[in-house]
Amino acid sequence: MASGEYDYIVVGAGSAGAVMAVRLSEDPDTSVLLLEAGGEADADEISIPLAFSTLFKTKWDWNYTTTPQKHLNDRPAYWPRMKALGGCSSMNAMIYIRGNHADYDSWAAQGATGWSFEEVLPYFIKAEHNTRFGSPYHGQDGPLHVEDRVYTHPLCTEWVESAVAWGLGRNGDFNGAAQEGAGLYQVTCKGGRRWSTDKAYLAPARSRANLTVALGAAATRVEFDGDRASGIAFTQNGSAQTARARREVILSGGVVNSPSC
């Protein structure tokens, strides 16, 4: 049973939550509970890059749809979201691309202290294990493996050449000095197989005594003491439970699930 008291409770073991829980639990004196509504990311299709779309609308998928969209002739749009360790990093197209420099600088200019591109770049570098690129924009010692695709269809190369001939600049690194131009993306894979935050971060840390990973644990409500978030109500194996947080509750359930807690 995952109920009890912890220093930190992280809701959602996806692209962000898995990293957050592992980093917090690096302190052996800190206890961390990581709640994941799905299960182990152990399907073969998760590791095989070309097979990611076979996970759509299965038990691995939250199977969300949007409200009717004006520019889709008032039709709803299907919105795949992964329900397993690693979250959407276990079901996405694996393209490794960071936010644009101007976005981070704009946030900093509007008061988000510490969020300029120059200030966040060291964290990208720390996380990355790039098989081709290095300093000053890339890391080669981090847990998140990034590599060139093991196979590129000839039409992809021809498309890039056509774009360059048309007048777009050639860009061999979309996570380097600039993101404009035509080129080929790198992917979050290791040896041609998907490298999610589950594999990169969680798997090496699962044996830590101070990290509890609760699977099949769906958060239902944030508990409050006054105006302070103090715990999480959740269901696991049909049982309603509550866990309390001595320090913080961290919602990392994604853009859809975090607001619904």
Side-chain angles (χ1 to χ4, degrees):
M1 300 287 282
S3 58
E5 189 170 73
Y6 303 83
D7 290 310
Y8 297 95
I9 301 173
V10 180
V11 178
S15 298
V19 179
M20 178 67 72
V22 169
R23 294 285 285 119
L24 287 170
S25 65
E26 287 178 0
D27 179 355
D29 295 324
T30 296
S31 59
V32 180
L33 171 63
L34 178 60
L35 299 174
E36 169 54 47
E40 300 282 357
D42 54 6
D44 290 340
E45 294 86 350
I46 293 174
S47 293
I48 302 170
L50 188 61
F52 75 96
S53 63
T54 65
L55 300 166
F56 294 173
K57 299 185 179 182
T58 67
K59 70 174 185 177
W60 304 100
D61 185 6
W62 286 95
N63 196 18
Y64 289 133
T65 55
T66 68
T67 57
Q69 300 295 301
K70 174 182 177 181
H71 297 293
L72 288 178
N73 197 27
D74 291 323
R75 294 174 300 172
Y78 166 57
W79 193 351
R81 300 279 91 186
M82 186 67 166
K83 187 193 289 188
L85 294 178
C88 288
S89 73
S90 291
M91 191 172 67
N92 61 14
M94 294 153 285
I95 293 172
Y96 179 70
I97 190 161
R98 303 164 182 170
N100 191 274
H101 301 196
D103 288 335
Y104 296 108
D105 291 340
S106 175
W107 296 347
Q110 295 178 64
T113 303
W115 280 91
S116 71
F117 179 74
E118 290 299 323
E119 289 171 302
V120 300
L121 179 59
Y123 297 98
F124 285 125
I125 292 172
K126 181 178 182 179
E128 187 183 12
H129 183 126
N130 199 297
T131 60
R132 180 157 64 100
F133 295 118
S135 179
Y137 291 104
H138 295 275
Q140 296 182 314
D141 299 312
L144 186 64
H145 280 255
V146 177
E147 64 186 18
D148 298 320
R149 293 174 296 174
V150 296
Y151 172 73
T152 295
H153 195 284
L155 283 177
C156 295
T157 302
E158 291 301 319
W159 190 95
V160 172
E161 295 305 320
S162 297
V164 172
W166 181 80
L168 287 179
R170 188 184 301 276
N171 193 336
D173 180 12
F174 286 107
N175 296 296
Q179 291 182 316
E180 294 78 15
L184 300 174
Y185 290 116
Q186 289 193 300
V187 289
T188 50
C189 289
K190 182 179 181 181
R193 298 178 71 82
R194 177 189 296 275
W195 200 248
S196 64
T197 59
D198 174 37
K199 292 179 179 177
Y201 288 88
L202 267 180
R206 290 283 290 274
S207 61
R208 292 177 184 170
N210 63 329
L211 173 61
T212 301
V213 179
L215 301 177
T220 56
R221 186 177 65 255
V222 179
E223 300 285 347
F224 283 86
D225 286 341
D227 60 359
R228 175 186 175 274
S230 59
I232 290 288
F234 61 98
T235 60
Q236 186 180 33
N237 300 323
S239 172
Q241 301 183 50
T242 301
R244 295 189 59 80
R246 287 184 287 265
R247 297 185 182 180
E248 293 184 44
V249 171
I250 300 163
L251 300 183
S252 294
V255 68
V256 176
N257 288 347
S258 285
S260 66
C261 286

